[in-house]
Amino acid sequence: MKTQTAVSQEIVRVDLEARQTHWEPTAGLAIPAYGFNGQVPGPTIQAEVGDTLVVRLANTLPEPTTIHWHGLRVPANMDGTEMVQHPVPPGGSFEYRFVLPDAGTFWYHPHTHETEQLEKGLYGALIVRGPDEPKLDGERVLVLDDLKLDRHGNLARFGGWKERHQGRLGDVRLVNGRAEPELEMAAGQVERWRLVNAASSRYVRLSIGRRPFIILSSDGGLLETPVPATEVLLTPGDRVDLAVGPFAHGESIEVASLAYDRGMVKEPGARYATVRIGPPAPSHATIPATLRSIERLVTDEVAPNRTVHLQGRPSLHGVDWRIDGHAHHHAEPVRVGDLQVWEVVNQTKMDHPFHLHGFFFQVLQVNGAPPPYRSWEDTINVPAKGRVRIAWLPDDRPGSWMYHCHILEHHAAGMMAHFEVVR
Ligand SMILES: [Cu+2]
């Protein structure tokens, strides 16, 4: 017999004020920044599948802003982009209201002047829980970021050829707004870590002391089965949930990014945090062998119905980032219910994280080979000179949507396209 699980239908109300603040990434260093409710990251929003989220955004910044709900299947007019809303002016406010259809680790950030507003601290995590979550001993939300400071300890000046080319890379690595923090964890326990990469351009090839961990979930929620690994790649915009531990009392574990070559940009390995393992505590963690089932969107060989070319060409500004020959490309519409199989072709010598707004896709192939597991994604790395084939189904949420590179400087320079979903 099928178990009937009650779906929550609460209204979750959140007030977010985008305002100027002083952010202290490390003791004694307070930098002028932006924060939702004055915090970096902003408050972690928590809700259950089926809840209605009502967020009142009040803007007291000296510039317009919006909120994009990264990964959430919202109605088009709630997506927070310039395609669907006028940015909220200084002193203005806007109410976002939508049902939360999916469980997962999501995040929110402005979709206006992103290169500066995110770097200044406007981002936060959004956790939606489902009725059948694996039970672990504890849970943490770890939002990764980096910060580029000048020699006076202020935010470095924005822009320039290098940032436009490789994206803005900072030297200070942050977890939840703090530089290389020390975390504590009980010996013997297994925790669920929900990770978000909120950095402008830094890839995180995540290692937890080179120990094995278990991947539970990706952008669009739980995988079908737990996947053991010792590293996982988080591009800008990506999320992953891991089962981490158990460790022994007295151990010190480095949460780090291993060296990663994203083509023309070699990111060296670097530490994000240290976990000190304290006295043991009992464990009641259970990870079921099956987390959920994910039906294949494509069962036969299907020819792609759209090819998306990610392009860069040298210019007076250094490089012009484009999609299909255009900066801010206006792409063909798609019809509700028509299966989309897209071939995303990277014609550049650099990796780009491809992000589709408002819909999850399944990855069919990366450079011609099937991915190691089936999952729902909204952001996927397209390797330098490589290609990724994805499939997605536009459900009945007509309106203006977009896809773009999630290296914020590439998006801003034009590596984006907007399109209509039509009935
Ligand atoms: Cu890019």
Side-chain angles (χ1 to χ4, degrees), residues 13-34:
R13 288 181 194 279
V14 180
D15 284 317
L16 290 179
E17 182 193 358
R19 66 174 167 93
Q20 292 178 292
T21 187
H22 278 87
W23 172 12
E24 228 177 329
T26 188
L29 176 70
I31 54 174
Y34 288 174

Side-chain angles (χ1 to χ4, degrees), residues 165 203 310 321 350-353 405-407 410-411 415:
H165 182 249
Y203 277 51
L310 308 179
W321 298 108
M350 192 188 293
D351 291 16
H352 298 279
C405 174
H406 216 285
I407 291 176
H410 293 181
H411 174 199
M415 192 179 264

Side-chain angles (χ1 to χ4, degrees), residues 134-136 190 213-218 221-229 241-244 286-294 372-374:
K135 306 264 183 299
L136 284 96
V190 184
F213 51 72
I214 291 168
I215 307 173
L216 298 172
S217 170
S218 64
L222 293 169
L223 306 183
E224 293 192 291
T225 56
V227 173
D241 291 13
L242 308 176
V244 176
T286 49
I287 301 171
T290 302
L291 297 168
R292 68 160 163 175
S293 67
I294 297 176
Y373 47 81
R374 200 176 311 153

